[in-house]
Amino acid sequence: MTARKPPPAAILDIDGTLVDTNYHHAIAWFRAFRQHGHVVPIWRIHRHIGMGGDKLVAALLSKEVEEREGADIRAAETALYLTFIEEVEPLRGARALMQDLRDRGRQVVLASSAKADEVDHYLDLLDARSLADSWTTAADVEQTKPAPDLILAALAKLDGAPGIMIGDSTWDCQAAKAAGIDSLAVLTGGFSEEELLEAGASAVFHSIDALRMGLDDTPLG
């Protein structure tokens, strides 16, 4: 008799999906670039939020700037962002979504490539430790989004269960696609429905509350 396949688990992005950080990060990157003599329009920075910081400098400026100044710019962004972190709030419905998933018997893995101290802060902010089965940090990945490493690291924590990604950025959807899994997206990160669908999302929801209301119409229902 063939063993029954476990139901899909939820792989939840944190930044921009569960906590409202995308614009804080955009400002922190703007200031970090400016400290190093590079003025990058904030709207362009926003389009890259969700991409790994190890790729963002080259994407917005050049490989030469990355080689010469990338590590220093990233260090500046981290320090600047930490001045904002106490202002960060959970997005409406974030913890309730995790509870909804658990009520439906779904495993929940929080997927982040942020440093461990930032992830710990968000876990506390969301009161998520009792709801999440596991979570990832920067220590779990070599290549950041849109590479699939983060998604694969989250899947590795599921004991063979398939996963569905929930994210807010095109980079989340691209990473999920590269990892071979489907994704659902919310508009909380500031990316449009059209962009998210083009990046690979199978469905896009206006908000976390809208996702919760439509959850039973998704593979996570």
Side-chain angles (χ1 to χ4, degrees):
M1 185 176 177
T2 304
R4 186 177 179 183
K5 191 175 183 181
I11 298 174
L12 290 172
D13 173 63
I14 299 178
D15 274 285
T17 302
L18 298 179
V19 293
D20 193 8
T21 58
N22 284 20
Y23 298 97
H24 298 80
H25 276 298
I27 293 295
W29 279 110
F30 170 79
R31 291 178 177 176
F33 284 131
R34 193 164 176 268
Q35 281 183 4
H36 288 80
H38 309 285
V39 177
V40 182
I42 298 172
W43 72 267
R44 286 192 61 223
I45 297 171
H46 172 254
R47 311 313 300 161
H48 290 74
I49 297 300
M51 172 187 277
D54 58 328
K55 297 180 171 66
L56 189 144
V57 175
L60 282 169
L61 294 173
S62 68
K63 289 182 180 179
E64 291 73 24
V65 173
E66 164 59 33
E67 291 171 3
R68 188 174 65 247
E69 303 172 67
D72 291 338
I73 293 172
R74 275 186 290 281
E77 191 277 337
T78 297
L80 288 160
Y81 174 70
L82 289 176
T83 68
F84 291 129
I85 199 167
E86 294 300 329
E87 299 176 14
V88 169
E89 294 287 343
L91 284 154
R92 180 184 168 96
R95 191 176 193 280
L97 173 62
M98 289 186 279
Q99 184 66 64
D100 291 346
L101 291 162
R102 291 300 297 267
D103 290 346
R104 287 162 173 76
R106 304 296 179 171
Q107 293 182 73
V108 174
V109 178
L110 305 185
S112 176
S113 58
K115 292 179 175 61
D117 57 345
E118 289 182 34
V119 174
D120 283 340
H121 180 80
Y122 301 144
L123 291 171
D124 292 340
L125 189 64
L126 293 160
D127 190 20
R129 296 176 196 276
S130 62
L131 294 176
D133 292 278
S134 190
W135 48 84
T136 67
T137 70
D140 294 301
V141 297
E142 291 187 14
Q143 291 288 322
T144 56
K145 293 179 291 188
D149 296 32
L150 181 64
I151 313 302
L152 296 174
L155 287 169
K157 298 178 181 289
L158 292 175
D159 299 325
I164 304 289
M165 178 72 181
I166 299 176
D168 67 285
S169 73
T170 54
W171 313 106
D172 294 324
C173 300
Q174 289 176 23
K177 187 175 181 179
I181 69 169
D182 290 336
S183 61
L184 305 171
V186 287
L187 297 181
T188 51
F191 292 84
S192 71
E193 180 177 3
E194 182 180 11
E195 289 172 315
L196 293 164
L197 290 170
E198 186 176 333
S202 58
V204 178
F205 296 86
H206 184 266
S207 64
I208 296 174
D209 283 340
L211 171 57
R212 292 179 61 213
M213 291 180 65
L215 195 59
D216 287 335
D217 296 323
T218 76
L220 292 169

